[in-house]
Amino acid sequence: MKKAIPVIISIIMISYFTLYLIIPLSVFGDGTAWIEKALVLLIPTIGLGFIAAIIYTLIIRLKEIDKEDKDDLSKY
């Protein structure tokens, strides 16, 4: 159960940021102005960066859960 929660939260966040990959293409996709082309490249790149950070954080968290002591409360 401890591993399921971070995975579920990561899936929700990745699906949220996927919208930011799709929206610029649908809104600015047919424009010819340079600012529209820049936004079509910039916004999805930022979204992909967030998705990569979420996946990296998920991997680190799953490794921490594997190393975690069974009885953490006894430390306090």
Side-chain angles (χ1 to χ4, degrees):
M1 187 66 177
K2 284 185 178 182
K3 287 187 177 185
I5 301 299
V7 171
I8 291 170
I9 291 173
S10 296
I11 290 172
I12 291 170
M13 290 180 68
I14 288 172
S15 63
Y16 176 76
F17 284 114
T18 302
L19 291 175
Y20 287 102
L21 298 175
I22 296 171
I23 289 173
L25 296 176
S26 63
V27 174
F28 301 112
D30 58 349
T32 56
W34 67 272
I35 190 74
E36 291 176 359
K37 289 180 183 178
L39 286 175
V40 168
L41 293 175
L42 181 68
I43 294 173
T45 304
I46 293 171
L48 286 174
F50 279 125
I51 290 172
I54 291 168
I55 292 171
Y56 177 74
T57 305
L58 174 65
I59 291 169
I60 289 175
R61 180 62 186 140
L62 292 177
K63 287 180 183 178
E64 286 176 357
I65 290 173
D66 286 338
K67 292 180 183 179
E68 198 171 84
D69 290 336
K70 299 295 179 193
D71 190 17
D72 281 339
L73 294 176
S74 65
K75 296 177 184 177
Y76 300 105

